[in-house]
Amino acid sequence: MRYCRDMHGYGQTPPAAEWPDDARIAVQFVLNYEEGGENCVLHGDAASEAFLSEIVGASQWPGQRHWNMESVYEYGARAGFWRLHRLFTEKQLPVTVYGVATALQRSPAQVAAMVEAGWEIASHGLKWVEHKDMAPDEERAAIAEAMRLHTLVTGERPRGWYTGRCSVNTVDLATEFGGFDYISDTYADDLPYWYEHGDRQQLIIPYTLDANDMRFATPQGFNSGDQFFSYLKDSFDALYAEGAAGSPKMMSIGLHCRLIGRPGRVMALARFIDYVQSHEKVWIARRIDIAEHWAKTHPPKPATERPSQMPEAEFVERFGGIFEHSPWIAQRAFAGELSPANDTAIGLHAALAFQFRAASDEERLGVLAAHPDLAGKLAQAKRLTASSTEEQASAGLDALTTEEHARLTDLNNRYVTKFGFPFIIAVRDHTKSGILAAFETRIENDRDAEFAAACRQVERIALLRLTAMFRDGQALHPLGQRTAA
């Protein structure tokens, strides 16, 4: 079983963004231009639009025009766009437009203003319609037609892609189409990341649905400009503080001409822009600028072997000795659910430890019995595994005095006689004296308590071994990499 979703990403330590001029945050304003590309029977669609408007509870009208809905969208093109254009140009802010190709074609004056202002015009698909039920070939054709039409309307091929109302295939299909500096059909992170599909590595710049004026038109959304401003300010403050603490992130703000372009809302956006511009070390950028920076500063790394993608024989060979002489644990882990989250030391340990814990007491006893005595006959005969040899040496157990060796031999004999398995401890966590002290304490346990203690130590040893492997690059994959389904 393989679970394609990546629930790990960059993990606890995301990469240093290294934004220009040591910025603490990268802020990016997206203006969605959809007016004229929405569902409408005039556009050859089966029904009217019902998404993201002032009409509460709107539903599609099959085979009919919805005059009110059409006029709401028309407001965005006729009035809202120009109000926002004045605001952004007066504030001298760079903007990325998500332009629906058919909407752009129907708005030549607006497109000319975007180009003159130096705004990036990324593709927002061919039409502002749902893609979730499209067959791959149909969606692939829609992407190609969007590229053709966008290029003819704007004079340039778009370098960024965002469908919005996407399908499960959208990102893969756009990656296959090729030529995009970035794709934004995910909301999975605060930083860009590389996505792997086939033999291609595609840069993903995540977008936002929370710092987005669409919530003026959704249940439990914003009902006033003050709420919108407050939410944007809190988001900015949190990310700015993280940047000041050494972990800069990216903040995207999603806007729509027909929503934030209303006079009762636009002043909240203006206040937020003033707030952002009052701070030092803020990089306000277009998404293409962020893409170029990330590709240069954090280029894709060659894909190394990932545990979740290895063939079974290689997986078992590589990790069958993590639990001492017990390859069946690796075999069961391989047969279980593995995902990108298991491609780290902690993640792979979780998969292996799960199988160890799920095993019978007899099977776990076999794992305990497979461990060698500390500084015992196998060590003297140099017949330990490489891992055990290194671990025992790390605590000085290969250099015992005669007195220490005699004491340890006595403890080993008494322990095995009492419990039926050798004393096990993660020696990398202890000094020689600490190991001897733990031995003296644990030998007084009852059998059940010591069995549980020994199992915990077996798991700890396994984690330390995996941590060393990943640190040395033997099993690590590029952090933050996504693998296609």
Side-chain angles (χ1 to χ4, degrees), residues 437-448:
F439 214 148
E440 297 278 9
T441 299
R442 284 173 50 189
I443 202 170
E444 300 301 324
N445 285 339
D446 61 41
R447 208 272 183 180
D448 289 344

Side-chain angles (χ1 to χ4, degrees), residues 393-446:
S394 70
L397 298 182
D398 61 341
L400 297 172
T401 65
T402 301
E403 181 181 349
E404 289 170 337
H405 189 272
R407 180 185 175 195
L408 197 54
T409 299
D410 176 62
L411 287 168
N412 277 328
N413 291 337
R414 289 165 49 203
Y415 184 96
V416 172
T417 299
K418 181 174 182 179
F419 298 115
F421 51 84
F423 178 73
I424 301 170
I425 191 168
V427 295
R428 290 187 186 278
D429 290 335
H430 300 83
T431 62
K432 182 167 56 177
S433 60
I435 292 169
L436 290 169
F439 214 148
E440 297 278 9
T441 299
R442 284 173 50 189
I443 202 170
E444 300 301 324
N445 285 339
D446 61 41

